[in-house]
Amino acid sequence: MQSSAFTHIATAQLAWAPRGGGAAATRRVPPSSAVAAPLRHRQITHSMPPEKVEVFKSLESWASKSVLPLLKPVDKCWQPTEFLPDPTRPISDFMDEVRVLRDRASELPDEYFVVLVGDMITEDALPTYQTMINTLDGVRDETGASPNPWASWTRGWTAEENRHGDLLRTYLYLSGRVDMLMIERTVQYLIGAGMDPGTENNPYLGFVYTSFQERATAVSHGNTARLAKEGGDPVLAQICGTIAADEKRHENAYARIVEKLLEVDPNGAMIAVGDMMRKKITMPAHLMYDGQDPHLFEHFSAVAQRMGVYTADDYADILEFLIGRWRLEKLDGLKGDGRQAQEFVCGLPQRIRKLQERADERAKKMKPKGQRFSWIFNREVVV
Ligand SMILES: [Fe+2]
Ligand SMILES: [Fe+2]
């Protein structure tokens, strides 16, 4: 792979723009309306050969036995209310709980809130992700209430995910630290803009994407949990940690699906992993916009990278983990194109780390710069 191509992607599309260089290095045209966001590549549709739909049909009973149990029964699931001040208590007790929450939140720095808001906005664009999964041939929910196990999974997964944005949003609202109006506008813009992960209606690509993405969100929420704990807010740490645990369970489900595809169709599945990794995994909120900053996603990503919430190293770690989990290095029975994909993917983590080392070296020589975020009343943080 050309290093220049990778550097471009690293700065423009991943949630880990190299420190000091990423945001300034790319210029994306701001969306003039909620539906006019720019697209990063030619959109390809229905790339899975129609006969491969049968693969997913033949795996339905396997999915019922091996994927659906990874959803939790509703009465065993946590709900946002359990982590928030209790409005059914007498008003003065409720106000005390809110006051305690705000005291704890007051210890955390602005840059922490930029990252937490970005994560919350990403969660809140959930309608986009359910739509994306329902673009996938052979596994989509054909009726909206289909009893098919693939469709049941998608609805159950969405229902679990729906708690994440709810909880973070309410916490942020009560904290008083952020500009909810700008956050709400950003969510509306983002849902209007959608996302463009390059999955081509192809469930092979779709499930590689979701495996990677769920692990990435687990890493990110895990790190916001750690920082909240260090910053003196154990309740917020528990909130982020609880969400991270859901993401891990979801990652396990999607990675299990890809594992199965590698078993029943090693060549096809290996090519899919190679294809997604060549395109790079685009973060789901890559089209975020607040009506002001045309480079909002890059700026948010730069803060996440700088704070160690989601970094280039994390990207390489996730890929390395999936290579190990899917035993890609040892995969045999591949044809020429499958072997090529295998070689590319297995060498990629090392190449990413090298490129990032160079980007870090360059960034060290640059002066840190301030960036204003509307989400925190246009105060400035270092990117
Ligand atoms: Fe989530
Ligand atoms: Fe998730």
Side-chain angles (χ1 to χ4, degrees):
M1 181 173 58
Q2 298 287 311
S3 64
S4 59
F6 191 81
T7 308
H8 168 72
I9 296 296
T11 53
Q13 282 138 23
L14 300 178
W16 48 267
R19 233 166 298 171
T26 52
R27 286 289 173 259
R28 225 179 39 209
V29 182
S32 56
S33 78
V35 292
L39 298 172
R40 70 188 171 93
H41 55 72
R42 193 166 63 87
Q43 292 188 310
I44 298 169
T45 54
H46 304 286
S47 65
M48 182 172 75
E51 64 275 13
K52 290 215 177 182
V53 167
E54 290 309 313
V55 171
F56 292 89
K57 234 188 158 19
S58 72
L59 290 178
E60 282 179 6
S61 68
W62 174 83
S64 296
K65 276 192 248 110
S66 302
V67 181
L68 288 181
L70 289 169
L71 292 169
K72 268 194 177 177
V74 174
D75 60 359
K76 299 265 180 328
C77 277
W78 60 267
Q79 297 298 338
T81 297
E82 295 164 39
F83 296 85
L84 295 163
D86 180 357
T88 64
R89 295 185 67 192
I91 184 76
S92 63
D93 294 352
F94 173 69
M95 293 306 284
D96 282 346
E97 284 190 51
V98 173
R99 202 166 292 120
V100 170
L101 182 153
R102 289 166 72 105
D103 283 348
R104 282 194 312 260
S106 68
E107 300 295 316
L108 295 163
D110 271 345
E111 58 185 359
Y112 179 85
F113 278 96
V114 167
V115 176
L116 194 66
V117 166
D119 285 357
M120 176 241 132
I121 286 167
T122 305
E123 293 287 353
D124 243 20
L126 181 61
T128 298
Y129 316 139
Q130 187 176 21
T131 301
M132 176 261 175
I133 293 178
N134 279 328
T135 67
L136 302 176
D137 295 332
V139 298
R140 75 171 54 84
D141 187 342
E142 297 282 359
T143 64
S146 163
N148 175 293
W150 298 114
S152 299
W153 163 263
T154 301
R155 290 194 305 273
W157 169 81
T158 306
E160 286 194 4
E161 285 282 342
N162 192 48
R163 300 166 302 146
H164 300 174
D166 265 11
L167 176 53
L168 291 174
R169 175 197 278 263
T170 312
Y171 175 88
L172 285 165
Y173 168 80
L174 290 172
S175 78
R177 290 288 305 273
V178 294
D179 188 338
M180 286 310 294
L181 181 69
M182 293 312 294
I183 292 170
E184 286 161 349
R185 278 192 188 149
T186 312
V187 170
Q188 189 172 351
Y189 271 118
L190 181 58
I191 295 176
M195 72 186 288
D196 179 26
T199 44
E200 306 173 4
N201 313 100
N202 181 333
Y204 283 72
L205 300 180
F207 291 135
V208 171
Y209 179 83
T210 49
S211 299
F212 193 106
Q213 193 48 50
E214 291 287 20
R215 192 168 179 86
T217 46
V219 167
S220 179
H221 291 307
N223 282 323
T224 52
R226 176 178 53 78
L227 291 173
K229 196 168 172 212
E230 289 167 13
D233 191 340
V235 177
L236 180 56
Q238 202 194 355
I239 288 172
C240 295
T242 303
I243 295 173
D246 274 5
E247 309 291 11
K248 284 224 165 221
R249 190 159 40 78
H250 295 161
E251 172 211 332
N252 190 21
Y254 289 120
R256 205 178 267 188
I257 296 170
V258 174
E259 205 164 55
K260 190 70 181 169
L261 292 172
L262 284 159
E263 183 190 313
V264 300
D265 180 9
N267 207 62
M270 186 63 241
I271 289 171
V273 178
D275 187 0
M276 279 320 295
M277 295 317 303
R278 266 182 224 283
K279 288 173 188 158
K280 287 72 184 178
I281 302 293
T282 311
M283 296 303 132
H286 67 120
L287 298 177
M288 68 166 61
Y289 181 55
D290 59 354
Q292 294 182 11
D293 179 1
H295 308 293
L296 181 59
F297 179 72
E298 288 83 354
H299 292 147
F300 154 65
S301 303
V303 180
Q305 162 88 23
R306 210 179 57 77
M307 293 195 74
V309 169
Y310 189 68
T311 67
D313 268 341
D314 292 323
Y315 189 95
D317 287 348
I318 293 166
L319 179 55
E320 229 156 40
F321 172 86
L322 292 173
I323 290 168
R325 160 145 197 181
W326 292 332
R327 298 187 189 86
L328 296 183
E329 276 167 353
K330 297 194 184 80
L331 198 65
D332 43 35
L334 298 176
K335 297 178 197 143
D337 45 1
R339 271 201 306 276
Q340 250 178 12
Q342 181 185 37
E343 205 177 301
F344 168 73
V345 170
C346 294
L348 188 56
Q350 215 193 347
R351 286 201 295 282
I352 293 172
R353 290 190 206 284
K354 270 201 188 136
L355 284 166
Q356 186 58 29
E357 266 170 39
R358 270 185 251 157
D360 282 345
E361 283 305 311
R362 280 197 306 274
K364 269 186 211 155
K365 291 175 195 150
M366 290 166 77
K367 268 210 219 133
K369 76 177 184 73
Q371 176 62 43
R372 294 186 186 280
F373 285 87
S374 67
W375 304 334
I376 50 167
F377 307 98
N378 282 316
R379 285 196 295 269
E380 201 173 275
V381 301
V382 176
V383 293

